[in-house]
Amino acid sequence: MCGDTRSLIHGIINLIVPFFIYDLASLLVGAITAANYNPWLAFWPMTILLWLPFLSDAVCVVVAAVRFQRRGRTRALLGLIFSVGVAALYYMLRFQLHFTLSQLKDMF
């Protein structure tokens, strides 16, 4: 598989990750609390889960930008666009709207 295609696939995966990562972190805290462990044990894993989409977007932006600069392929450009757009989307959902998928179950 070509590196340009990998940049595109990474960008598409970055589109999906922000919707589930916040719920995974809250599930981790709930599981540790239900097992009668100290909730502070989940602090670092939860922090990693919450910042992972930003790290993934940064890696994809750098790799896709280098790929696009060298080869000029549209697939690398699409991966770059998806990752930059998703970074803004994740910021908006996470910090501005405090969005989780668990909020959607109240709507239906």
Side-chain angles (χ1 to χ4, degrees):
M1 181 182 314
C2 177
D4 301 331
T5 306
R6 283 187 293 234
S7 295
L8 176 62
I9 291 172
H10 194 174
I12 292 170
I13 290 171
N14 284 342
L15 283 172
I16 299 167
V17 167
F19 292 107
F20 297 104
I21 206 78
Y22 190 71
D23 286 332
L24 286 174
S26 62
L27 180 66
L28 176 68
V29 171
I32 288 178
T33 306
N36 291 327
Y37 291 120
N38 187 357
W40 281 101
L41 291 175
F43 178 75
W44 287 111
M46 183 178 67
T47 304
I48 291 169
L49 278 174
L50 291 177
W51 288 101
L52 188 66
F54 280 129
L55 178 65
S56 179
D57 288 336
V59 167
C60 188
V61 165
V62 169
V63 170
V66 169
R67 286 275 182 198
F68 181 68
Q69 180 69 25
R70 287 186 183 167
R71 302 183 87 187
R73 297 255 175 112
T74 305
R75 288 177 286 188
L77 180 63
L78 283 174
L80 179 66
I81 291 170
F82 285 160
S83 292
V84 169
V86 168
L89 173 73
Y90 182 66
Y91 173 79
M92 179 187 68
L93 290 175
R94 168 80 172 92
F95 296 107
Q96 299 297 323
L97 299 176
H98 304 289
F99 176 79
T100 64
L101 291 179
S102 61
Q103 293 173 345
L104 293 177
K105 66 181 175 185
D106 297 332
M107 295 173 63
F108 297 108

